[in-house]
Amino acid sequence: MGPAEAPAQAPTEPNLEAFEVLDLPDADAYRTGDGRPGPLYWQQEADYAIDVELLPEENRIEGTQTITYTNNAPSELNFLWVQMDQNLFAPGSRGEAVVPPDARFSGFFEGGGYDVSNLRIEHNGTMYTPEYVIDDTRLRVDLNAPLAAEGDSLALTMDFSFELPDYGADRMGMFDAEEGTVYQLAQWYPRMYVYDDVSGWNVLPYLGQGEYYLEYGQFDLDITVPHDFIVTATGALQNPDEVLTDTQQERLADARASRSPVTIIADEEVGDPDTRPVSSGTLTWQYQADDVRDVAWAASRSFIWDAARADAGTHTVLAQSLYPAEGLGGGENSTPGWEESTEYVQHSVEFYSERYTPYPYDNAVNVGGIVAGMEYPQVMFCSVDARGRGLFGVTDHEFGHTWFPMLVGSDERRWAWMDEGLNTFMNLYSTADFYGQDIERVIRQSSQQAARFAQSSLADQPIMTQADHIRRQALGMLAYRKPAVGLALLREHVVGPDRFDAAFKTYIDRWAYKHPQPSDFFRTIESVAGEELDWFWRGWFYETEGADPAVAEVNVDAATATIAQQTDLLLPVPVELTFDDGSTQMVRVPTEAFATGDTHTISWDEERTIDHITIDPQQMLPDVDRSNNAWTPSE
């Protein structure tokens, strides 16, 4: 069979580089070529037993912890690396040297940082005090005897304390509520660095902007506070009889079966001695969490508390909100406040559970305080000042992080987009669903934002820029919005919802409670969707240009039009042909049509009279110049 005839293509510069195989790490026994964990994949385990006390008179934390660390790697370890995130706030820290004092990720103060003592190792029945060195936000512990490969474990114990920052890099801190300070505790205990098959020890320092890469494990957490404080934390409360009243336990039981929020502590009950099971001294709240990468907690005398049931697959989740009275909406016509929070939590848990994979925990807690928005397993910190759509947006975003990076444990310190971008992509659909928006309109607006950014002075950094190296003015676009709209275009415009959704869910299933790399994501999407996408990853994630498809030439007599790609960002081009009788014809020019040149010629029935031609009539592409998207006959 001979070749089919096609309109002649004028020779232009080929785009072969755009279609070259992306330079990804070679597949091996740990990570396969189709994006799965390999047959010899391994990762470490870090289990924590932490006993901590909040001293509100001093705004100080004192604690002791034991980390049981298991080496599942195929090589022995002669030392350990531990993250000391509170040292970010110490005078003279590396973070203070690079982060402006008025920046979001600041909070440096005299007296900041850890005091560490009584550091001990127990290994193979021997207890000893190891040699160690603390360098800024990193602690290296030298072992007297190697930690053997493939299953050996040891216990690392230490005492630690620190003064709380008022504002801790927008991830923790203290909100001065009228009824009592709201304490939000995160990055508060020394945590193991990840040792993996890609980089060995991942010891990038904590500078504030780059987030976290953490091992999974079991946490046993005892939190001691004054008797009149309410505490919420990652995990399941183990001793409710000791820290809650009978009335509060009954209300929580009602909430687990109620779709409408049930008040656990009402506004008018805050500060009432009857809301506490004892009248003096301290109480210790005991929490336990399995298969989590972190724990966070909050404590206050000022908490209003409500809860309701959310459904996640075959199990139910207790959606909860704790916040001071400053979070309430005020007045008949004012924007709703935190009294709506639990409804927002319900929506997020249920939407993402149904669309992707069920929410994996029994509790989903939103805490109002000084932190604008930050995610932790089961506990989210959101601004007490947020209202209405703003409160929904930050709540939905933070709970979306349950899937990335709490469930799928990517390396946030290097690749911010792997959690922020994937989560923001999911948020587009959740927000549209909650408010009844047209998702095409939402994506169109996001795509146009990306096009404007591509023309800005900040556009010279690609998405694949290490988190701490992204200019702070560009973080919102490069880590959040640009990867989100790229994935939305991939879903809606390149491979289609059915194939994309199957691939995206497969990625979650494959890498739940594991540590994927960017190549694992790219390969999974390609393999399951059945589409070679090196050109897309290169153009959208590794390079920086916007798109600019154009109608380059029209030959009415020959019934042909030449479509040009005028930048290196190649995307499929939808072209609408409108004829003189008002009828239309859509032509989709696939990206592969531009492999051998910047132009491609389309044609139509010569018996029909063309009236006008429009590229991307729905304006879904991130087009930097729409002035060349249309053609009409000259007068």
Side-chain angles (χ1 to χ4, degrees), residues 180-440:
T181 302
V182 175
Y183 295 90
Q184 293 174 305
L185 278 297
Q187 292 80 57
W188 59 277
Y189 62 99
R191 306 179 294 181
M192 293 301 303
Y193 271 104
V194 170
Y195 183 85
D196 65 20
D197 61 288
V198 177
S199 301
W201 285 108
N202 290 264
V203 290
L204 290 175
Y206 180 41
L207 302 177
Q209 181 164 289
E211 292 185 321
Y212 313 107
Y213 189 24
L214 301 166
E215 300 288 12
Y216 289 93
Q218 175 177 303
F219 287 77
D220 292 288
L221 177 60
D222 289 358
I223 304 169
T224 299
V225 295
H227 75 280
D228 53 350
F229 273 59
I230 296 294
V231 174
T232 188
T234 300
L237 181 62
Q238 301 297 296
N239 61 334
D241 291 342
E242 297 176 13
V243 297
L244 298 176
T245 66
D246 291 343
T247 298
Q248 289 161 355
Q249 293 184 70
E250 291 168 2
R251 291 173 178 177
L252 283 168
D254 291 342
R256 289 185 176 93
S258 174
R259 294 294 295 166
S260 299
V262 173
T263 299
I264 314 304
I265 298 177
D267 182 13
E268 60 272 15
E269 293 177 318
V270 171
D272 187 336
D274 290 340
T275 63
R276 303 284 64 238
V278 297
S279 59
S280 63
T282 61
L283 288 172
T284 298
W285 298 62
Q286 299 173 346
Y287 283 88
Q288 185 179 79
D290 296 327
D291 294 326
V292 295
R293 67 200 288 271
D294 199 4
V295 288
W297 55 284
S300 184
R301 296 182 172 96
S302 66
F303 279 146
I304 300 167
W305 184 5
D306 64 63
R309 188 190 89 234
D311 297 320
T314 59
H315 79 282
T316 60
V317 176
L318 189 62
Q320 305 171 60
S321 299
L322 292 90
Y323 52 93
E326 286 82 351
L328 292 168
E332 183 177 344
N333 298 317
S334 71
T335 304
W338 273 79
E339 65 275 11
E340 303 290 330
S341 166
T342 296
E343 178 188 353
Y344 301 157
V345 176
Q346 283 177 308
H347 169 83
S348 298
V349 166
E350 294 179 347
F351 181 85
Y352 298 127
S353 293
E354 181 178 357
R355 192 176 182 94
Y356 301 111
T357 196
Y359 183 87
Y361 312 120
D362 292 332
N363 294 289
V365 186
N366 205 14
V367 180
I370 194 171
V371 178
M374 192 61 203
E375 68 278 1
Y376 302 98
Q378 308 174 43
V379 176
M380 310 301 157
F381 295 162
C382 295
S383 172
V384 71
D385 295 325
R387 297 289 185 271
R389 291 184 74 121
L391 179 56
F392 172 83
V394 68
T395 298
D396 187 60
H397 180 77
E398 304 313 335
F399 275 97
H401 274 302
T402 299
W403 286 263
F404 307 102
M406 304 309 159
L407 184 58
V408 179
S410 60
D411 180 357
E412 301 175 86
R413 188 66 52 88
R414 285 188 173 86
W415 312 118
W417 68 268
M418 288 190 74
D419 73 298
E420 299 295 357
L422 271 60
N423 182 26
T424 304
F425 160 73
M426 299 195 307
N427 301 157
L428 295 175
Y429 293 88
S430 176
T431 302
D433 180 80
F434 188 79
Y435 288 106
Q437 297 172 323
D438 176 14
I439 189 61
E440 284 196 4

